Amino acid sequence: MFAVYADSFASSADDPLTGLVVGERPDPVAPDGWTTVTVKAASLNHHDLWSLRGVGLKQEALPMILGCDAAGYDEDGNEVVVHAVVSDPTWTGDETFDPRRSLLSERHQGTFADKVIVPRRNVVPKPASMSFEEAACLPTAWLTAYRMLFTQGNLKAGDTVLVQGAGGGVATALIALARAGGLRVLATSRDEAKRAKALELGAHEVFESNERLPVKVDAVMETVGRATWSHSIRSLRPGGKIVISGTTSGPKLDDAELTRIFFLQLSVIGSTMGTRDELASLVTMLDATGVRPVIDRVLPMTDARDGFAAMAGGEVFGKVVFTR
Ligand SMILES: NC(=O)c1ccc[n+]([C@@H]2O[C@H](COP(=O)([O-])OP(=O)(O)OC[C@H]3O[C@@H](n4cnc5c(N)ncnc54)[C@H](OP(=O)(O)O)[C@@H]3O)[C@@H](O)[C@H]2O)c1
């Protein structure tokens, strides 16, 4: 079958695409308890670039079909969204806490292909109101944003939230979901055009990266890491919280602002992906509110390399979607 996969790891961090192959891989065979999904649309995440750099993916797992997210048809012809977190069959409860869990494309083959196999419980019905392209944006970036805001962040209507790095897949989801959830939304971006788009998307106010804010916020949603961490801590009110799910600009800090963290009694909360039930709630929230993922571009999966290059160059606002 057609597939987009990692055959080797990038030799240099500057050129993550050297190991990317657009070609053919064998058809998957679903073991007992698994189902085959025919992929109609899949979306790109920064995770796929990390994979090409060998982060989170082992050499012995290569060749590995990339992609965590997909929407398509299950074996009975139902329209479904794929849940990307695969937990151990014996695990019960919140699957993001399973130490043996993995994301599609880490241990099990990913979604940038004609077909992907997943455990039966890893499919969620896709509402008719949502296109395959829109649904394909939800399983990683949008689910991560949902859990950051409403589960780990425990934010409520009326709270004020700062979203760092407005242009990203997770960040655009954070802005749209926070606005739909009744929060006051502040956002930063390095880029003026992206700041303007963030306003259109629902941010109440936008700022340059690291610009001093006129108010202190209840919570910061952080995916950028090193480049914005200090600003995130400094933007919080006493007792505020920072929810972090990524470090796009790097995880090492010059100043972790430890003094402010204890003196202002701040909380630092990690967040990773989300559960199948949270994905189902996210799908219902979008169906009910009419909020839809921000799609930067839709490309045929055969042109996947162009989408990877745009993300690596920081040129995207929202999600890059591949179709079959
Ligand atoms: N823990 C999880 O479950 C989970 C799930 C999904 C994603 N993630 C992580 O979250 C991060 C974002 O993922 P994504 O798919 O949304 O990536 P993305 O679409 O490539 O977005 C990256 C964002 O980072 C910002 N950024 C990059 N370098 C920056 C810098 N030097 N200074 C300021 N801002 C910078 C950009 O903002 P502007 O261009 O607007 O400034 C852009 O919005 C990644 O690290 C990813 O691995 C984690």
Side-chain angles (χ1 to χ4, degrees), residues 46 50 144 165-170 189-190 194 224 227 245 248 271-273:
H46 216 94
W50 292 125
T144 300
V170 178
S189 175
R190 299 165 293 177
K194 289 186 187 178
V224 180
S245 74
T248 301
S271 194
T272 284
M273 294 297 292

Side-chain angles (χ1 to χ4, degrees), residues 44-50 101 103 139-145 148 164-172 188-191 194-195 209-210 222-228 244-250 270-274 310-312 314-319:
L44 183 65
N45 290 289
H46 216 94
H47 185 276
D48 303 304
L49 282 179
W50 292 125
R101 75 174 190 281
L103 267 190
T140 298
W142 279 67
L143 178 61
T144 300
M148 288 174 77
Q164 298 281 22
V170 178
T172 50
T188 68
S189 175
R190 299 165 293 177
D191 182 74
K194 289 186 187 178
R195 290 196 292 277
S209 290
N210 295 316
E222 179 58 86
T223 59
V224 180
R226 180 179 187 167
T228 52
I244 173 162
S245 74
T247 55
T248 301
S249 62
S271 194
T272 284
M273 294 297 292
M311 176 172 274
E315 295 161 19
V316 299
F317 185 89
K319 298 287 292 173

